[in-house]
Amino acid sequence: MQKATIVVHGGAGRIRPEFREKALKGVKRAAEAGFDTLKRGGSALDAVEEAVKVLEDDPTFNAGIGSTLTVNGKIEMDASIMDGKTLNAGAVAMVSNIRHPVTLARIIMEKTDHVFIAGSFAETIAELFNLERCNPITEDRLKIWKEYKTKAIEGTYPYLPKLTDLIKLLPELIADTVGAVARDQDGNVAAATSTGGLTLKLPGRIGDTPLIGCGNYADNDAGAVSATGIGEVAIRLVIAKTICDFMKNGLIAQKAAEKGIELVIQKQNNLPMGVIAVDKYGNPGIAHNSESLSWAMITSDNLKTIAGLKYPP
Ligand code: ASP
């Protein structure tokens, strides 16, 4: 049997002090759910889906229930999943009332001929496959959104028509995407990522999360990566695939993750990003240049759940 590993993240956004304990508990719970799946002989793909579902159900994180709102107060969630064994991938964008966008991404991968479906037909597919519906807006998220919206109206918060202008001010925003990467006992790797996007994002804006190679990538010949932070940065650097290429060329997951963040620092003005990775041998990797990154991991070497709000802790 090969080394089994799961690593999860709860986003690179700033974590308010009152959410710290909840975030830590949430990432641990997700890592444990994913690792249970691996222990029972489940695939890496099953494990990352399970882990991300737990995070989507946790209102502490900006994915599924508790997703953040667009500038006009709507929910537009994005998610993706990728199987490193086959390179099959599925992604959804701009869905608004699905409890588990990651499961819908898996349905796109397994039940359609496509990789990525956005908008209303993605909702139709959710209906066809009887996926659970929910209203993801929570009181806490609404409060944060109103706070930022008020600042935007007063001019103390930059509400600008161009996303590039918004990006400059993004460190002020709450953005807690979730993700998981795993390697199973058969040596297969997988990655899944899910988000409500960036607070006050423009309607129709799609970030890195559902873009294969940007927010998410998995390849048994390299490893798996899930990214979080400013989506536009991850898109420009194709960061998940780039880090997988570093692993393919021989770097262990930790070194590859660090090298990915180096690129962000050097080529993207140090805008906040975080990445988790697992290489094809099951070594975990975590790196970020954001103030915090909630994360948790378990490997079959010692079966301990370790977690933190920054890395190294
Ligand atoms: N990467 C996500 C996006 O840009 C946000 C996040 O990771 O918090 O949509």
Side-chain angles (χ1 to χ4, degrees):
M1 240 192 281
Q2 304 193 33
K3 173 169 168 169
T5 301
I6 182 120
V7 189
V8 307
H9 72 75
R14 184 165 58 87
I15 306 172
R16 296 180 171 215
E18 64 271 29
F19 287 117
R20 283 190 189 143
E21 204 47 46
K22 287 182 190 162
L24 214 45
K25 276 198 187 130
V27 285
K28 282 185 186 168
R29 226 180 5 246
E32 281 158 11
F35 198 73
D36 267 358
T37 307
L38 294 175
K39 264 198 325 211
R40 281 188 272 106
S43 66
L45 192 67
D46 295 332
V48 294
E49 183 188 357
E50 271 320 301
V52 167
K53 277 168 75 176
V54 169
L55 294 163
E56 286 176 338
D57 272 344
D58 188 332
T60 315
F61 303 106
N62 169 21
I65 294 158
S67 279
T68 196
L69 301 154
T70 61
V71 74
N72 58 348
K74 299 276 174 3
I75 293 279
E76 293 184 359
M77 298 178 289
D78 304 336
S80 65
I81 190 161
M82 185 161 184
D83 183 356
K85 187 176 173 184
T86 55
L87 300 188
N88 286 338
V92 289
M94 298 171 65
V95 293
S96 56
N97 62 354
I98 313 280
R99 180 171 168 196
H100 292 302
V102 71
T103 301
L104 182 54
R106 186 164 179 178
I107 287 173
I108 305 296
M109 172 172 102
E110 290 177 345
K111 308 287 185 196
T112 79
D113 297 309
H114 306 301
V115 168
F116 188 2
I117 297 193
S120 64
F121 200 76
E123 306 263 354
T124 306
I125 293 175
E127 231 160 76
L128 292 177
F129 287 90
N130 297 318
L131 283 198
E132 214 175 308
R133 298 309 185 112
C134 76
N135 173 8
I137 300 179
T138 60
E139 285 301 313
D140 276 338
R141 199 60 75 175
L142 206 54
K143 222 171 95 194
I144 291 164
W145 178 81
K146 279 187 184 148
E147 217 178 275
Y148 286 129
K149 190 80 196 255
T150 309
K151 282 187 186 172
I153 291 164
E154 286 169 351
T156 54
Y157 181 93
Y159 178 162
L160 299 168
K162 290 190 178 169
L163 197 55
T164 25
D165 288 338
L166 284 174
I167 288 169
K168 289 182 197 143
L169 305 144
L170 286 175
E172 289 298 307
L173 300 183
I174 298 285
D176 293 311
T177 295
V178 304
V181 293
R183 186 217 198 211
D184 62 30
Q185 299 170 2
D186 297 322
N188 297 311
V189 297
T193 313
S194 181
T195 188
L198 293 174
T199 306
L200 297 189
K201 68 182 179 181
L202 300 181
R205 176 266 191 188
I206 296 172
D208 59 315
T209 302
L211 298 183
I212 302 306
C214 301
N216 209 46
Y217 202 74
D219 179 349
N220 274 10
D221 292 338
V225 173
S226 169
T228 172
I230 308 305
E232 286 68 15
V233 169
I235 293 170
R236 293 188 199 109
L237 293 173
V238 196
I239 200 162
K241 173 72 163 73
T242 300
I243 293 173
C244 275
D245 286 346
F246 293 152
M247 294 192 282
K248 204 175 200 161
N249 292 334
L251 287 190
I252 57 165
Q254 183 57 36
K255 291 281 172 233
E258 285 168 11
K259 200 167 166 188
I261 293 300
E262 273 305 309
L263 284 178
V264 177
I265 296 168
Q266 284 162 12
K267 296 177 91 89
Q268 290 290 300
N269 289 331
N270 204 14
L271 285 165
M273 286 297 305
V275 292
I276 57 170
V278 66
D279 60 36
K280 63 179 176 179
Y281 308 106
N283 299 307
I286 300 175
H288 61 106
N289 62 334
S290 52
E291 193 183 302
S292 36
L293 177 79
S294 52
W295 61 272
M297 69 163 91
I298 311 175
T299 74
S300 51
D301 289 346
N302 63 13
L303 304 178
K304 278 205 188 103
T305 311
I306 47 172
L309 297 177
K310 50 171 76 160
Y311 194 88

